[in-house]
Amino acid sequence: MAKFTLQTHEPNQILLYNQEQAIYAQIRVLEPSIINVKISDKEKIEFPTWTITPGDTELPFEGVSRDSLKPFSSPEYTFSESDETITITTTDLKLDIQKEGFYATWFQKNAAGSFEQVMTDRRTQSYQHQISPNQPMCHYLERDIEDMYFGLGEKSGVADRHGKRFRMNNIDAMGYNAETTDPLYKHIPFYITYKPSIHQSIGIFYDDYQNSVLDFGKELDNYHGYYRYYETNSDFLDYYVVAGPQIKDVTKRFSWLTGRPAKMPAWAISYSGSTMQYTDLPDSQERLNDFLEQCNHHDINVRSFHLSSGYTSIDGKRYVFNWNYDKFPDPKAFGKHFVDEGVEIVANIKPSLMLNHPLLDEVLAFDGFIKDEHGEPLLIQFWDDEGYYLDFTNPDTINWWKKQVKTKLLDNHINCTWNDNNEFEVWDEKAQVHGFGNGGSFQKYRAIMPLLMVKASREVQLAYNEEEHPYIISRSGCAGISKYVQTWTGDNRTSWNTLKFNNKMALGLSLSGVYNFGHDIGGFSGPKPDPELFLRWVQCGVFYPRFSIHSWNDDGSVNEAWMYEEVLEEVKEAMHLHERLNPYIQRLVENAHDHYEPIIRPTFYEFEEDNKTYKDTDDFMLGDKLLVCPIVEEGQTQRQIYLPKNPEGWVDYYTGEVYEGGSTITLDVSFANIPFFVKKGTSLPMYNNALTEIEVQSF
C-alpha cells in the first residue's frame, strides 16, 4: 500500500499526497469540535458546497468554495508527525492518520478529560484508492455491534439505524410505508454514532449531492469483520466529523454547520387547512370559502390554507403559475378575502413545465431547462404527462421564477409558497445543467436543486413583503434546507402504522438539523381514516410546529376537522390545545433559530444518562419540558409509559398527578386525550382558554 506524504502544512490545512496513486488527502481543522477530510485525485475540489454554511453565512446561488475558512474559528491545535503516522489534536478531538494507505482513527475526550477512541476506518480497505480505481468512491468504517446510529434526516423505520441500509436520492414516494420504504424525499447523509459502553457520541456528514448508499450492518463480508460504509457516485469524498460527547452537542453543532434554522411567522404554527380535492373541483373557490365558514361555525382557529395545484389546471393537468379562471374568476379578490379573514394562502408551485404550458416558449427562449447530453431540453415524466424541469443553476431561470412568484401569486395577495414535487427526478446520467456558466452534469447538483428553488422563492417573498420572517414550505431538500423553509414528511399513507412510524421518522429529522416540520394529519393517500385513527392522528399532530390536515383520499372524500360527528368534540379540544400551546411552540422555534436545538426531540436527547430512553419507544419530547405519549394502536384502552429519570418528577397535564422520574406507569386512556406530562417545577407560556392573552402556567 502506497504511503501518503506531507505536502503542505498551512494554518488549519494539511495536505497529504500519495504519489504512486496520485491521490490527495486534505485535512482542515475548522473548529475544536469539527474536522474536515477530503480525498480526491485533485489537489483542490472545484465543485462548490451549498450545505456548509455555518451560522449566518451568506449562501450565493453559485455556492461557496469548499476550501473557504472564513466562517470558521480555525482554532489552535497540535500537530505531530512520525515515519508512520500524523496526529492532529484539538481541545475536543484527536485524529491519528496512518500514512501507509491513509487510515484515520478518531478520539474524543471523556468526562475525565482523557481521549477515548470513538470511530476508526476499517483496517481492510477503507477508501476507493485502497480497493480499486473501478470501485465507486466510498468510506468504510469499523462497526461495533453495540453501537447505535441516529440521524439520516427523513428515513423510515425506528430511530436506531443499526443493521439497516439506506439510499440517498430524493424521489416522490407518495403512499410510502413509513416503516420500510426507502428512499424518500430528502437527502441528508449525516448520522450520529452513539457508543453505549463509553457514553460518547460523534457525528459524520458527507457533503455530497449525488445518489449514494449508507449501510449500517445490513451487509456482512467474511474478509472484513463488522463494518459500515458510505458509497457515492461522486468522484471525490468530502466528510466532516462533528464532536460530541453528547448527542445534543453533535446535533446542535451540525445544525450550526449547515446554517441557522429560519424563524417563521407566529401564524405558521396554527392550524393550516389543506386538501387536494378542493382545488380539483370545478367550484374550487366556493369550496374554499365554505371551508372558512365551516371553521367559523365550529369555532376552529385557522391561520393558513395550503392551496393545492388544482388552481393551475388545464384539462385536469397541472401548469405551474397558470390560474384556472373557471375555478378562480378573480384570484386577487380570492386572495384578499382570505387575508382579510386572517388566513394566509400558501400556493403550490412546481419546478416543471408541461409540454403545452402557456409559458413554455418563454423558458425555451433563454434555455432555462435541464438538458440532455446533446444540449436539448430534457423531456421527463412528470405527474401523468411529460415536461421539462427548470434549471435553477441558470440565473435566467432564477429570475424568471421570481417574476412568476411575484406576478402570479404575491400581486394577488398570495403571500406564501408551497414548493412541491421538487425531487427533480431526472434519471438520465448524462443530463446537463447550466452550472452558473460552468456547465456540468445534473447529477452533481441533484440534491441541492430543491434548495436553490426554495432560496429563489424565499428571496422574492422577502423582497416583496419586506417581512422579517416570510413563510416557505418545501417537500424535498438536502442538509441545510431548514435555513429557508418549514417542511413535512411528504405524501404519507393512511394507516395506524404510518401514525406510529411518522413519529419515529421525526426523530431522524430532528437529529439532523431539520427542526420545523410536521406530517400530513389523517394520512394523505389511500383510504380515508376511520374516526378513531383520525382522532388519534390529530391528538398527536397538535404537538408539532406544523399542524396541517391534508388528504387525497381514494374515495374522493376530504379529511376535515368536522368529518366525524362522533369525535368532533375531541378533535376540537385537541386543536384548541394546539392553539393554547402556540406560545410555547413559538418559543421553541425561536430557540431553534437562536441555539440550534430541535423542537421535537427523542427522549434520549434530554436524558442521555438514562439507558432506558434508548429503547425503541413511541414517546417523544416537545422541547425540554413536555413528554408526549401518543396512542398509535387501534382500540387501545391502556398505555404503558416510561417516565425518564429526572429528580423533579413528572406532572400529568390533565390530572395534575405527580409521578417519579425513572418509573414505568400504566394509564387508562379514552378518546378524550392522549397522555402527556410536564416536568415538575417548570412553567409553560400558554394562551388562556379564550386564546386572548398569554399566561404562564406552573406545574
Side-chain angles (χ1 to χ4, degrees):
M1 187 72 66
K3 180 177 287 190
F4 281 72
T5 59
L6 183 65
Q7 290 289 103
T8 59
H9 180 195
E10 300 174 354
N12 301 89
Q13 299 190 79
I14 298 121
L15 184 66
L16 309 179
Y17 184 58
N18 174 338
Q19 186 170 4
E20 182 176 323
Q21 295 176 289
I23 300 294
Y24 292 91
Q26 183 190 52
I27 299 95
R28 300 191 304 150
V29 182
L30 304 174
E31 299 289 333
S33 56
I34 301 175
I35 294 177
N36 172 224
V37 177
K38 293 176 167 64
I39 296 179
S40 172
D41 60 0
K42 298 178 177 60
E43 182 175 349
K44 178 182 174 64
I45 299 172
E46 297 292 342
F47 191 69
T49 178
W50 284 264
T51 52
I52 303 301
T53 54
D56 298 309
T57 300
E58 182 66 29
L59 175 63
F61 276 101
E62 60 271 21
V64 176
S65 168
R66 288 179 183 255
D67 287 331
S68 174
L69 290 172
K70 185 183 297 183
F72 298 102
S73 67
S74 299
E76 293 184 359
Y77 61 95
T78 61
F79 175 91
S80 62
E81 181 181 16
S82 70
D83 289 342
E84 304 300 326
T85 63
I86 287 174
T87 300
I88 298 162
T89 308
T90 73
T91 56
D92 297 341
L93 285 170
K94 183 171 79 167
L95 168 61
D96 280 352
I97 300 168
Q98 178 184 309
K99 289 164 34 175
E100 190 74 27
F102 192 94
Y103 291 94
T105 303
W106 299 85
F107 302 83
Q108 189 169 258
K109 277 188 179 176
N110 59 22
S114 301
F115 281 105
E116 286 188 280
Q117 182 177 313
V118 288
M119 187 167 65
T120 185
D121 290 347
R122 191 177 74 178
R123 292 303 167 180
T124 51
Q125 302 175 326
S126 297
Y127 301 97
Q128 180 200 52
H129 67 269
Q130 299 164 352
I131 303 171
S132 164
N134 300 315
Q135 161 75 15
M137 192 61 76
C138 57
H139 185 201
Y140 284 78
L141 295 133
E142 290 185 1
R143 173 175 57 88
D144 190 303
I145 59 173
E146 299 299 322
D147 286 351
M148 304 181 82
Y149 305 112
F150 303 111
L152 299 186
E154 179 190 79
K155 288 295 179 184
S156 59
V158 298
D160 181 10
R161 313 301 189 187
H162 201 142
K164 312 290 186 185
R165 178 189 288 131
F166 298 92
R167 184 177 165 204
M168 286 291 168
N169 201 12
N170 307 11
I171 67 170
D172 181 351
M174 189 185 83
Y176 63 84
N177 184 314
E179 184 179 7
T180 61
T181 300
D182 185 74
L184 294 172
Y185 302 89
K186 298 175 182 69
H187 181 116
I188 307 177
F190 163 79
Y191 69 92
I192 299 169
T193 300
Y194 172 64
K195 303 186 77 63
S197 60
I198 59 174
H199 296 290
Q200 292 257 25
S201 297
I202 193 163
I204 187 167
F205 171 59
Y206 297 93
D207 189 18
D208 179 16
Y209 316 130
Q210 295 210 42
N211 195 354
S212 57
V213 173
L214 292 106
D215 188 293
F216 298 96
K218 183 81 169 177
E219 183 176 298
L220 184 66
D221 187 329
N222 180 56
Y223 291 102
H224 301 289
Y226 293 122
Y227 60 87
R228 48 187 153 132
Y229 67 84
Y230 174 78
E231 184 177 283
T232 175
N233 289 343
S234 288
D235 57 4
F236 61 82
L237 196 67
D238 188 6
Y239 65 87
Y240 291 74
V241 172
V242 183
Q246 291 189 309
I247 288 170
K248 65 170 54 180
D249 298 326
V250 182
T251 297
K252 291 163 65 175
R253 286 165 177 162
F254 178 66
S255 177
W256 172 83
L257 180 66
T258 53
R260 186 182 298 281
K263 285 187 178 180
M264 295 284 164
W267 60 257
I269 295 169
S270 292
Y271 166 52
S272 181
S274 186
T275 180
M276 287 281 290
Q277 271 80 0
Y278 287 173
T279 56
D280 282 350
L281 295 171
D283 58 343
S284 293
Q285 188 162 326
E286 289 82 355
R287 290 298 300 270
L288 284 161
N289 290 336
D290 181 64
F291 171 81
L292 286 186
E293 292 175 9
Q294 288 290 331
C295 286
N296 290 331
H297 173 72
H298 292 290
D299 197 24
I300 290 172
N301 193 50
V302 59
R303 294 298 311 278
S304 64
F305 190 92
H306 280 62
L307 187 69
S308 290
S309 55
Y311 79 96
T312 68
S313 65
I314 301 175
D315 296 329
K317 297 174 184 177
R318 273 65 173 165
Y319 295 80
V320 62
F321 299 124
N322 174 76
W323 279 97
N324 181 316
Y325 291 106
D326 292 331
K327 295 180 181 180
F328 295 88
D330 189 343
K332 181 171 287 190
F334 161 70
K336 187 175 187 304
H337 172 61
F338 268 68
V339 170
D340 288 347
E341 291 290 320
V343 179
E344 294 287 345
I345 292 292
V346 187
N348 186 286
I349 49 178
K350 307 179 187 301
S352 178
L353 270 59
M354 297 291 196
L355 280 173
N356 55 342
H357 195 291
L359 302 176
L360 184 65
D361 288 342
E362 282 188 20
V363 182
L364 288 172
F366 61 78
D367 203 18
F369 294 115
I370 293 167
K371 295 176 284 189
D372 64 19
E373 61 184 305
H374 306 295
E376 297 298 322
L378 178 63
L379 192 62
I380 48 87
Q381 179 179 336
F382 191 79
W383 276 62
D384 52 357
D385 205 333
E386 292 181 311
Y388 304 106
Y389 270 115
L390 293 163
D391 179 2
F392 284 91
T393 70
N394 184 336
D396 289 337
T397 302
I398 293 168
N399 290 333
W400 179 86
W401 180 265
K402 289 181 176 181
K403 178 183 176 182
Q404 302 312 312
V405 171
K406 177 186 179 299
T407 58
K408 305 302 195 305
L409 301 178
L410 302 179
D411 286 348
N412 288 319
H413 304 285
I414 313 295
N415 298 317
C416 314
T417 58
W418 171 8
N419 297 260
D420 198 16
N421 297 96
N422 53 347
E423 289 74 36
F424 287 83
E425 288 202 49
V426 176
W427 300 104
D428 186 340
E429 288 299 315
K430 295 185 178 180
Q432 300 294 305
V433 293
H434 182 273
F436 300 101
N438 298 313
S441 167
F442 161 80
Q443 299 301 333
K444 289 185 176 182
Y445 294 87
R446 178 166 182 158
I448 58 98
M449 275 289 178
L451 182 82
L452 297 175
M453 173 184 171
V454 301
K455 177 177 167 63
S457 298
R458 181 180 176 85
E459 285 191 359
V460 66
Q461 287 175 233
L462 192 60
Y464 188 90
N465 289 314
E466 297 183 351
E467 292 183 77
E468 187 179 356
H469 310 307
Y471 179 80
I472 307 98
I473 190 165
S474 176
R475 188 171 74 179
S476 186
C478 59
I481 193 72
S482 61
K483 58 183 170 257
Y484 296 135
V485 300
Q486 185 186 75
T487 187
W488 85 105
T489 53
D491 296 343
N492 56 5
R493 184 168 181 80
T494 303
S495 72
W496 284 94
N497 198 55
T498 302
L499 170 58
K500 181 183 183 74
F501 280 92
N502 267 171
N503 288 324
K504 300 176 190 295
M505 189 179 292
L507 306 183
L509 283 165
S510 289
L511 294 173
S512 305
V514 181
Y515 299 155
N516 195 330
F517 62 87
H519 316 288
D520 278 352
I521 294 167
F524 176 75
S525 70
K528 70 177 180 181
D530 64 28
E532 182 185 4
L533 176 55
F534 180 67
L535 171 63
R536 294 309 193 193
W537 218 317
V538 170
Q539 289 173 334
C540 178
V542 299
F543 294 98
Y544 280 82
R546 178 185 187 259
F547 176 56
S548 182
I549 300 171
H550 185 41
S551 61
W552 194 21
N553 298 335
D554 290 346
D555 64 357
S557 63
V558 176
N559 292 350
E560 297 163 319
W562 47 87
M563 67 190 295
Y564 292 116
E565 182 66 31
E566 61 265 45
V567 294
L568 177 56
E569 289 308 310
E570 290 85 356
V571 167
K572 288 173 59 177
E573 183 62 31
M575 296 177 74
H576 185 67
L577 173 64
H578 180 74
E579 294 307 304
R580 293 197 63 203
L581 285 171
N582 190 301
Y584 176 62
I585 299 175
Q586 180 64 26
R587 183 173 293 183
L588 294 176
V589 172
E590 293 171 358
N591 182 65
H593 174 83
D594 294 338
H595 302 293
Y596 305 98
E597 289 203 275
I599 297 167
I600 302 295
R601 307 175 184 181
T603 54
F604 57 73
Y605 181 93
E606 287 298 326
F607 305 98
E608 189 157 341
E609 299 304 314
D610 185 346
N611 292 332
K612 290 185 179 180
T613 62
Y614 294 94
K615 294 180 180 179
D616 182 41
T617 178
D618 297 314
D619 306 338
F620 60 88
M621 298 290 295
L622 174 58
D624 62 342
K625 293 179 171 60
L626 297 187
L627 174 66
V628 182
C629 309
I631 305 300
V632 296
E633 295 178 12
E634 186 175 9
Q636 191 167 11
T637 57
Q638 285 190 323
R639 178 69 152 80
Q640 190 176 78
I641 297 162
Y642 175 70
L643 299 168
K645 290 179 183 177
N646 77 73
E648 296 81 13
W650 296 92
V651 181
D652 185 314
Y653 176 83
Y654 290 104
T655 69
E657 188 168 350
V658 179
Y659 296 92
E660 184 179 355
S663 61
T664 299
I665 62 173
T666 300
L667 295 182
D668 292 333
V669 295
S670 69
F671 276 13
N673 54 60
I674 63 173
F676 79 99
F677 301 82
V678 187
K679 273 186 186 176
K680 188 174 178 356
T682 61
S683 300
L684 290 180
M686 298 179 65
Y687 276 119
N688 61 8
N689 200 54
L691 305 180
T692 55
E693 60 183 50
I694 297 174
E695 301 174 337
V696 175
Q697 192 164 341
S698 299
F699 293 86

